[in-house]
């Protein structure tokens, strides 16, 4: 993680530390039912209305953690 202080992110009147911003975004996404998958994205397909981002784990047939 390289970003330390984020000065201009909407919704935060004061600067927020990068890791704190990531934690807040993760918590909000999970509250709405997002599934978190920690893996390397191997390709991105933006041609269809539904976006796909295959991961190394999915391509190898390994189960998600």
């Amino acid at each position: 993680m390289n970003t330390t202080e984020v000065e201009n992110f909407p919704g935060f009147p004061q600067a927020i530390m990068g890791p704190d911003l990531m934690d807040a975004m993760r918590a909000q996404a999970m509250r709405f039912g997002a599934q978190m998958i920690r893996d390397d994205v191997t390709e991105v397909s933006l041609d269809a209305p539904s976006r796909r981002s295959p991961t190394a784990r999915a391509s190898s047939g390994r189960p998600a953690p």
Side-chain angles (χ1 to χ4, degrees), residues 15-55:
I16 183 170
M17 298 303 290
D20 295 334
L21 177 59
M22 290 173 55
D23 289 342
M25 294 174 96
R26 183 179 298 113
Q28 181 179 16
M30 291 181 76
R31 185 169 65 94
F32 286 97
Q35 177 186 7
M36 299 295 157
I37 300 173
R38 296 181 63 101
D39 202 352
D40 295 327
V41 173
T42 58
E43 68 178 277
V44 177
S45 174
L46 304 176
D47 297 331
S50 174
R51 307 297 192 239
R52 290 185 60 240
S53 298
T55 63

